[in-house]
Amino acid sequence: MKHVLPQLPYAADALSPRMSGETLEFHYGKHFQTYIDNLNRLVAGTGFEDMTLEELILKADGGIYNNAAQAWNHEFFFNGLSPVPSSVPSVLEDAINANFGSPDSFRDEFTQAAVSLFASGWVWLAVTPDGELRIVSTPNAGNPMRDGLRPLLVVDVWEHAYYIDYRNRRADFISAWWDLVDWNVVGKRFQNA
Ligand code: MN
């Protein structure tokens, strides 16, 4: 299977000014594309050639794992954004309240994890097999599916995600990112988990 760069569900400049067209040009058009290109090159002629990204995340290691996970993580990240404001669906809000106390304490805990992750990486909201919500920080190309959790929401805290628009101000990027989260998508992921 040849992996291809998925289409964005919005125009490349639709998230501006919180996430500029220039950031999308580089983050989506170049970084994400490079993971896809590297993956296709690495799996060619190997036993991994016909696996999906999710299968590769569960079965591969090294460069194949890194590029497959970065491809999956970026598709999940970009698909979780929208230029249209949304609110948390009630079924998900109930789970957030049950696990974190309130929407504000969830947001504070998630923000703290995203601001303080001392690495390039990803911060996730994920659900355990028992239906409990967890905030999970993974360095580099980590993915909670490796630990049996289903991802619901992710923010990319690699510097390439925010350096064009926010330079070193990761906290400002996180604050703007919250405004872009597509809670309808996150709610559907929760219902399907
Ligand atoms: Mn990225």
Side-chain angles (χ1 to χ4, degrees):
M1 145 188 353
K2 188 163 161 50
H3 300 279
V4 296
L5 186 69
Q7 291 290 309
L8 289 172
Y10 38 76
D13 60 354
L15 307 179
S16 181
R18 292 178 178 85
M19 198 179 287
S20 69
E22 188 182 1
T23 285
L24 268 287
E25 180 189 341
F26 280 83
H27 192 192
Y28 167 77
K30 297 190 188 297
H31 288 279
F32 190 177
Q33 181 72 63
T34 299
Y35 296 125
I36 300 275
D37 293 343
N38 286 343
L39 180 62
N40 283 324
R41 183 171 48 77
L42 288 168
V43 300
T46 76
F48 296 107
E49 192 165 22
D50 294 322
M51 290 188 189
T52 65
L53 293 180
E54 189 165 337
E55 288 170 333
L56 289 169
I57 286 171
L58 297 176
K59 292 175 181 167
D61 287 298
I64 292 178
Y65 170 82
N66 284 336
N67 285 283
Q70 285 296 80
W72 193 98
N73 293 359
H74 280 90
E75 181 171 7
F76 196 79
F77 171 72
F78 285 118
N79 282 345
L81 305 178
S82 171
V84 182
S86 56
S87 52
V88 181
S90 58
V91 60
L92 179 58
E93 187 169 14
D94 290 347
I96 285 172
N97 288 337
N99 286 270
F100 302 101
S102 71
D104 282 350
S105 48
F106 160 65
R107 182 175 160 137
D108 289 349
E109 192 175 326
F110 191 102
T111 297
Q112 183 58 31
V115 169
S116 63
L117 177 57
F118 193 75
S120 294
W122 304 82
V123 175
W124 309 80
L125 176 66
V127 61
T128 70
D130 297 335
E132 297 201 353
L133 300 184
R134 294 267 192 278
I135 293 167
V136 180
S137 298
T138 59
N140 301 315
N143 185 296
M145 292 192 292
R146 291 275 275 201
D147 297 316
L149 279 70
R150 284 308 303 180
L152 304 178
L153 171 70
V154 73
V155 65
D156 184 344
V157 295
W158 284 59
E159 282 186 352
H160 68 223
Y162 57 88
Y163 221 79
I164 290 172
D165 294 332
Y166 299 95
R167 299 303 176 189
N168 60 318
R169 291 175 284 116
R170 189 194 284 186
D172 290 354
F173 163 67
I174 304 298
S175 176
W177 167 81
W178 280 115
D179 292 336
L180 297 173
V181 171
D182 188 337
W183 289 106
N184 298 312
V185 168
V186 180
K188 284 193 192 108
R189 290 168 177 167
F190 180 59
Q191 287 180 311
N192 295 334

